[in-house]
Amino acid sequence: MSSLNPYRPYPLFILVLAVILSMPVVVVLAHVFVPSGDIWQHLSSTVLPDYIRNSLLLMLGVAIGTLLIGVTAAWLTTMCQFPGRGLFEWALLLPMAMPAYIIAYTYTGMLDFAGPVQMTLREWFGWQYGDYWFPQIRSLNGAVVMLTLVLYPYVYLLSRAAFLNQSICVLDVSRTLGNGPWKTFWRVALPLARPAIIAGLSLALMETLADYGTVQFFGISTFTTGIFRTWFGMGSAAAAAQLAAGLMVFVFALVIIERYSRRQARYHHTSRRHQDLRRFQLTGGRAFLAFIFCLIVLCLGFLLPALQLLSWTIHVADTVIDAEFMRLLVNSLSLAAAAAVLALVLAIVMAYAQRLYPGKLVSGAVRVAGMGYAVPGAVIAVGVMIPFAWIDNTIDDLARSHFNYSTGLLLSGTLVAVTFAYLTRFLAVSLQTVDSGLTRITHSMDEAGRSFGFRPLQILRQIHIPMLSASLMTALLLVFVDVLKELPATLILRPFNFNTLAVKAYELASDERLAEAAPAALAIVIAGIIPVILLSKTITRSRKLKLAHDEH
């Protein structure tokens, strides 16, 4: 490895690539210093306090909800034995396939005044409007519940992985001291899993800050809704970028807190011995409560909204699923597939560069290229639109002055801008998956390839890629589904004559045509189920691989 020169074109190409991919974030931060006239003063004195307060309250509510549900469910399905545990351990990840804005539309249709729940209550008891109290779904509390139901899998996923990978020795010691499942959980397993739990919580809170569809539909003023209003309502790109920079402060704070928490951890595994887990056997009332808890979470987070979407879809299929719907489906699938393939190619290039040149230059460049995942889609869109519009205007001015010809929009307002935003936003998902797969391939494989006279590209193509097939497919599917669900960036950057399933569902729901939005929403949910199941199998398989490694 040391014979490879870090200043050859490959590392420099990675550096240039990282600079290009980080451009949206840099542009947004740079606009903090751009004058925005009286608009920023108006925003700061009127709506900015509401944006800050509502964003903080959303984060607080979602943090409490995702921690309670995610950690509890992870402990029950990993360390306890009760009826249905095998089903729940993967089924509890299904809400991850349900975008927050879709579950918000669905529950609004079910629980609003004109929905089936309140209509049934009025029929049964003869009530009229004002005779009874019913929780208001279109509220800040409603948004907290909706976001919690679809974001708890982030905490569940990482918590369960942490519990699965804990040394059996410390758990055995807890058992010998007479501790039951809950004392072992509080005193031993929870402190050991704290870094993973906080990492999952940070991801959930980043998604909370990035949400636009739910808060806009419920009429809650947050940074994301403010960015849209400032850009499209007031026509101020500079003020919108400054709001986006304010939102990034929250995001970076979460990143810093998460990394500081990991660094400050005081609990460590005391042994590397891993054996088959001996789960706590729950019986009687405890087993029943564990089953009911998991069932309620699964029903509220996935089964009820999915069944409602299916019911609406069947009801409107004859009028909604037509040639236009199929065109939306093709647009969404082709755009998601193109972005996923490009992200996978970039991830392979960057992860392999980091393997060949493990110095600070390449590692830092790869880290910079992957930071877009922490940035909300609305912020990325603002950061893409400003430089792309400047490039378009510059080229158009030159063409007009020299050739008396208008080039129009070459980048902004085209699929180029949309795809670039997706790559900036979701490259990290693909990059982490590919890099994780590469780290499991020993460097002796590279040395063996070089002994046969293979060049680095041949080693990658003939050795690494066949061994990485599972990781590559996982990376491809994860980005594909993320792109399919992405709403804010698509809304801002899509061409005028181009629509997707996510945007169509949003537009119909905004017009209160919830049943007509169901087919598009259900298509997105169905597409998201396969990667979710793959994720669950990957976690379980990681424990089996660790056991096999320890046995050898």
Side-chain angles (χ1 to χ4, degrees), residues 217 267 284 489:
F217 187 65
Y267 301 94

Side-chain angles (χ1 to χ4, degrees), residues 224-241:
T224 49
T225 59
I227 290 169
F228 275 81
R229 291 170 188 163
T230 305
W231 188 299
F232 297 106
M234 299 181 178
S236 175

Side-chain angles (χ1 to χ4, degrees), residues 209-225:
L209 288 172
D211 178 77
Y212 172 74
T214 305
V215 292
Q216 191 277 336
F217 187 65
F218 283 0
I220 302 167
S221 297
T222 63
F223 275 101
T224 49
T225 59

Side-chain angles (χ1 to χ4, degrees), residues 325-341 415 422 476-477 479-481 483-485 498-502 520 522-528 530:
F325 179 84
M326 298 310 296
R327 186 163 54 251
L328 289 175
L329 185 63
V330 171
N331 286 348
S332 301
L333 295 179
S334 58
L335 186 59
V341 170
L415 291 180
Y422 291 154
L476 195 70
L477 286 171
V479 177
F480 178 84
V481 174
V483 170
L484 207 60
K485 296 190 296 184
F498 189 87
N499 221 346
T500 65
L501 291 171
L522 187 62
I524 296 172
V525 172
I526 291 172
I530 297 175

Side-chain angles (χ1 to χ4, degrees), residues 214-511:
T214 305
V215 292
Q216 191 277 336
F217 187 65
F218 283 0
I220 302 167
S221 297
T222 63
F223 275 101
T224 49
T225 59
I227 290 169
F228 275 81
R229 291 170 188 163
T230 305
W231 188 299
F232 297 106
M234 299 181 178
S236 175
Q242 287 166 358
L243 278 177
L247 178 55
M248 286 175 61
V249 171
F250 282 78
V251 173
F252 288 155
L254 287 174
V255 173
I256 292 170
I257 290 171
E258 188 267 330
R259 292 188 176 179
Y260 179 79
S261 173
R262 279 189 295 170
R263 204 188 74 180
Q264 291 295 106
R266 292 289 183 266
Y267 301 94
H268 307 279
H269 299 298
T270 56
S271 171
R272 293 186 177 182
R273 184 169 64 89
H274 295 267
Q275 303 172 2
D276 287 330
L277 291 173
R278 292 191 293 277
R279 296 185 175 91
F280 295 97
Q281 182 67 50
L282 301 183
T283 57
R286 289 185 175 184
F288 177 75
L289 288 176
F291 175 81
I292 291 298
F293 173 82
C294 294
L295 181 63
I296 290 174
V297 171
L298 178 60
C299 285
L300 293 178
F302 183 79
L303 293 180
L304 280 179
L307 289 174
Q308 180 64 74
L309 287 175
L310 180 61
S311 173
W312 281 338
T313 299
I314 294 172
H315 183 69
V316 302
D318 293 340
T319 57
V320 174
I321 301 180
D322 51 13
E324 181 187 356
F325 179 84
M326 298 310 296
R327 186 163 54 251
L328 289 175
L329 185 63
V330 171
N331 286 348
S332 301
L333 295 179
S334 58
L335 186 59
V341 170
L342 286 173
L344 181 61
V345 171
L346 289 177
I348 292 172
V349 170
M350 302 189 86
Y352 193 52
Q354 195 171 17
R355 183 181 181 90
L356 291 177
Y357 306 94
K360 291 183 179 180
L361 177 69
V362 174
S363 296
V366 171
R367 195 174 297 114
V368 168
M371 73 180 181
Y373 189 66
V375 182
V379 177
I380 294 291
V382 172
V384 169
M385 181 62 79
I386 291 174
F388 277 27
W390 178 83
I391 293 171
D392 281 344
N393 290 332
T394 302
I395 294 175
D396 188 62
D397 289 342
L398 290 172
R400 285 175 183 271
S401 61
H402 290 83
F403 306 104
N404 196 27
Y405 173 76
S406 175
T407 58
L409 298 178
L410 299 176
L411 297 177
S412 59
T414 69
L415 291 180
V416 174
V418 180
T419 306
F420 180 73
Y422 291 154
L423 290 177
T424 303
R425 176 93 164 88
F426 300 119
L427 175 63
V429 177
S430 187
L431 188 59
Q432 289 176 2
T433 307
V434 173
D435 186 56
S436 175
L438 272 176
T439 56
R440 291 196 293 268
I441 300 176
T442 63
H443 285 280
S444 61
M445 300 295 291
D446 301 65
E447 295 167 2
R450 283 197 294 274
S451 68
F452 284 104
F454 289 173
R455 298 180 65 83
L457 187 59
Q458 291 176 302
I459 294 173
L460 174 65
R461 187 174 62 249
Q462 298 185 29
I463 297 177
H464 292 320
I465 288 182
M467 297 179 70
L468 286 171
S469 57
S471 296
L472 298 183
M473 181 57 67
T474 302
L476 195 70
L477 286 171
L478 288 174
V479 177
F480 178 84
V481 174
D482 277 336
V483 170
L484 207 60
K485 296 190 296 184
E486 175 61 30
L487 180 62
T490 313
L491 271 174
I492 294 176
L493 298 172
R494 67 192 170 98
F496 293 116
N497 60 344
F498 189 87
N499 221 346
T500 65
L501 291 171
V503 174
K504 188 64 175 180
Y506 163 78
E507 290 174 343
L508 291 171
S510 298
D511 293 337

Side-chain angles (χ1 to χ4, degrees), residues 129-148:
Y129 178 76
D131 291 344
Y132 64 97
W133 175 87
F134 197 82
Q136 179 58 258
I137 183 69
R138 299 188 195 228
S139 63
L140 182 65
N141 290 333
V144 167
V145 174
M146 297 299 102
L147 289 167
T148 296

